[in-house]
Amino acid sequence: MALTERLEAIFQEVIKRNPGEAEFHQAVKEVLESLGPVLVKYPEFAEAKVIERICEPERQLIFRVPWQDDKGEVQINRGFRVQFNSALGPYKGGLRFHPSVYLGIIKFLGFEQIFKNSLTGLPIGGAKGGSDFEPKGKSDGEVMRFCQSFMTELWRIIGEHTDVPAGDIGVGGREIGYLFGQYKRLTNKFEAGVLTGKGLVYGGSQVRTEATGYGCTYFVEEMLKGKKNGFKGKKVVVSGSGNVAIYTLEKVKELGGKVVAMSDSNGVIVDEKGCNVETVKRLKEIERRRIKDYCEYHKHAKYIHNGNIWDVPCEVAMPSATQNEITGKDAKKLVKNGCIAVGEGANMPTTPEGVHVFLSAGVLFGPGKAANAGGVATSGLEMQQNASREAWGFEETDAKLHQIMKNVYQLCSEAAEEFGSPGNFVVGANIAGFIKVARAMIAHGIV
Ligand code: GLU
């Protein structure tokens, strides 16, 4: 969609002020493309320069993370925290540990997080952080020393009412535990609400581990229901084999679908009988092994080294690995093979060309900032429990997550309809997420 003159000028300014940050530019452009009709209806947003302000993070921290590996050698990584927007509540968003991390990745993620968090209906602002640290192949001791060093800088700018980090790629329960332990030492406070994704024994929430995958599956279920359809009997492909992919697999199976392929950065497994949840969990969560080893336990399954998972025919695609994993070409292949719905478990996994292919073909498309909002929503529920010193049961928490995902779908669907793009959940998510933040920003004055 073409940008109006005013939005194009804002976009050009973002490129100029943030050179070399391609992923950030991509995330901003996608949101701006949806906002034309909003500025027509609410000229006060343009007047108060709300969009220009949203595109500029409120605060950014870049820091050195020195640590010692098991051989005694000194290693240096770079740490980031971008506190993007606090109009709706304390900054909130995960930490990503991956060698590809640089400021442009953290800014794209932080920017998306603003709208995602707004869509959850919970009082949380948007942020993201992380490091170019590579957790793959590191010992527990190395990961712990890295996390302690990372927190030794980060603790100054976070807090339960200020900024609440959590996990993302490369950061799970183990890392959150080490980060929390160091925060507690540095501050001499047991401040449970400062991090989410904690272990259940020290203030974590039920369902937080499962939340992104379950939530994404609930969102796709709503999209299918809107077309009088459902998961029953559907062939599903889920890329990745991390936390999001594993719990997508579990929930899809529960709802009667069959996940026939999964992947990691080395290759793809295809199991026409349906991927086995227990095997994937054991390999990935406990033994930290590669997806290839799945075939040792299920001889009928195929492993394709360096394969392209989007070549595997399916009716529902749930990209749950990383950004820009579905290209325009992949999207065309999926459509040709009969794909009718896509739910983005990862953040921005479909390129703009891919999104265009899906929308033009009438594929139900759930963009990440709506479809994967269940993770951060359950983090919001963890914060609620920490604040009231309560711990809810699994079913109660899952029911709340389910309801939140239904609401997110409803919000996207209604906004898309109201602003002239019925069925376009990209436009719906961007508009519904934006309007709430914009209203709060206007209420706060020029800040
Ligand atoms: N990293 C997740 C996301 O992309 C979760 C963030 C959180 O729980 O704060 O939304």
Side-chain angles (χ1 to χ4, degrees):
M1 208 194 291
L3 293 175
T4 62
E5 212 172 297
R6 167 150 195 153
L7 289 166
E8 180 61 40
I10 296 175
F11 181 54
Q12 288 310 322
E13 189 62 21
V14 167
I15 296 179
K16 206 167 106 199
R17 288 170 69 81
N18 304 275
E21 298 176 357
E23 297 82 359
F24 178 50
H25 304 162
Q26 183 184 334
V28 170
K29 185 156 192 233
E30 189 228 89
V31 171
L32 296 193
E33 280 174 349
S34 303
L35 296 184
V38 179
L39 294 188
V40 175
K41 185 159 181 193
Y42 301 101
E44 63 271 30
F45 293 165
E47 184 101 348
K49 299 218 170 150
V50 171
I51 301 177
E52 289 90 330
R53 280 193 275 156
I54 282 191
C55 291
E56 184 71 14
E58 290 177 15
R59 191 176 297 110
Q60 309 181 54
L61 178 68
I62 304 181
F63 51 99
R64 178 168 70 199
V65 191
W67 57 283
Q68 237 173 340
D69 68 18
D70 286 346
K71 293 194 220 91
E73 202 173 309
V74 176
Q75 301 286 344
I76 294 110
N77 286 100
R78 188 171 288 176
F80 302 89
R81 186 71 180 168
V82 174
Q83 298 179 329
F84 231 113
N85 194 293
S86 60
L88 297 181
Y91 305 107
K92 180 85 198 86
L95 299 171
R96 175 176 292 191
F97 292 170
H98 191 270
S100 64
V101 164
Y102 76 106
L103 189 58
I105 294 268
I106 300 300
K107 269 156 78 175
F108 116 65
L109 290 164
F111 183 74
E112 293 248 297
Q113 202 83 42
I114 306 170
F115 308 102
K116 184 195 306 193
N117 294 4
S118 164
L119 285 170
T120 66
L122 300 171
I124 39 183
K128 206 82 184 194
S131 172
D132 56 1
F133 176 72
E134 164 69 282
K136 222 190 288 167
K138 300 288 189 300
S139 69
D140 278 357
E142 288 174 325
V143 170
M144 181 183 74
R145 290 192 295 280
F146 175 81
C147 287
Q148 290 176 339
S149 182
F150 186 89
M151 185 52 87
T152 304
E153 277 299 319
L154 187 70
W155 74 280
R156 296 171 220 284
I157 62 158
I158 62 173
E160 62 176 327
H161 301 300
T162 314
D163 182 357
V164 183
D168 195 82
I169 293 174
V171 178
R174 173 181 62 169
E175 291 74 18
I176 293 294
Y178 296 147
L179 292 164
F180 186 77
Q182 185 72 352
Y183 183 85
K184 183 162 68 65
R185 278 171 91 191
L186 288 163
T187 57
N188 193 31
K189 274 193 201 121
F190 194 106
E191 188 186 330
V194 69
L195 289 168
T196 60
K198 298 182 294 294
L200 292 177
V201 291
Y202 67 95
S205 172
Q206 296 281 0
V207 198
R208 178 61 192 88
T209 308
E210 294 83 356
T212 314
Y214 279 18
C216 190
T217 312
Y218 293 146
F219 190 92
V220 173
E221 191 192 23
E222 290 305 305
M223 291 199 299
L224 290 169
K225 259 205 249 162
K227 297 279 178 205
K228 311 249 173 303
N229 210 333
F231 267 107
K232 214 163 187 66
K234 296 274 180 311
K235 261 194 188 189
V236 182
V237 164
V238 180
S239 66
S241 47
N243 168 267
V244 180
I246 291 173
Y247 292 95
T248 299
L249 164 67
E250 185 167 279
K251 188 52 82 179
V252 165
K253 201 169 168 192
E254 211 180 292
L255 297 181
K258 185 161 79 173
V259 175
V260 293
M262 295 182 79
S263 61
D264 65 16
S265 52
N266 294 119
V268 177
I269 54 153
V270 181
D271 184 345
E272 290 293 345
K273 289 191 185 160
C275 293
N276 185 291
V277 185
E278 294 320 312
T279 307
V280 181
K281 274 191 190 173
R282 191 174 64 242
L283 286 174
K284 287 290 170 179
E285 291 184 333
I286 303 169
E287 299 169 2
R288 297 184 192 272
R289 288 165 68 189
R290 307 305 295 165
I291 200 68
K292 161 170 158 263
D293 299 337
Y294 180 91
C295 302
E296 275 177 30
Y297 300 93
H298 304 279
K299 299 281 186 224
H300 60 273
K302 266 196 327 225
Y303 176 69
I304 313 162
H305 186 65
N306 281 336
N308 182 354
I309 194 164
W310 309 119
D311 288 342
V312 180
C314 64
E315 289 150 292
V316 180
M318 301 183 72
S320 307
T322 195
Q323 65 273 356
N324 292 330
E325 52 170 310
I326 299 185
T327 63
K329 203 169 146 218
D330 296 330
K332 280 188 193 142
K333 184 88 186 247
L334 281 161
V335 171
K336 190 169 146 250
N337 284 341
C339 177
I340 57 160
V342 176
E344 292 190 323
N347 290 313
M348 209 168 73
T350 313
T351 61
E353 298 76 34
V355 176
H356 180 73
V357 170
F358 289 136
L359 293 178
S360 323
V363 171
L364 295 165
F365 183 79
K369 61 172 81 69
N372 74 36
V376 74
T378 309
S379 279
L381 301 179
E382 184 171 333
M383 290 162 73
Q384 281 185 27
Q385 292 168 80
N386 293 151
S388 60
R389 299 183 188 280
E390 285 177 317
W392 308 331
F394 191 95
E395 263 149 48
E396 184 184 353
T397 316
D398 187 32
K400 287 185 201 273
L401 165 65
H402 200 160
Q403 191 53 51
I404 290 172
M405 294 315 295
K406 287 184 176 179
N407 295 348
V408 172
Y409 170 79
Q410 207 58 35
L411 280 172
C412 295
S413 181
E414 283 166 13
E417 185 98 34
E418 185 187 337
F419 288 87
S421 302
N424 184 334
F425 305 119
V426 176
V427 166
N430 288 336
I431 294 182
F434 172 79
I435 289 179
K436 199 171 159 202
V437 179
R439 286 202 173 121
M441 284 175 73
I442 297 220
H444 295 164
I446 302 170
V447 288

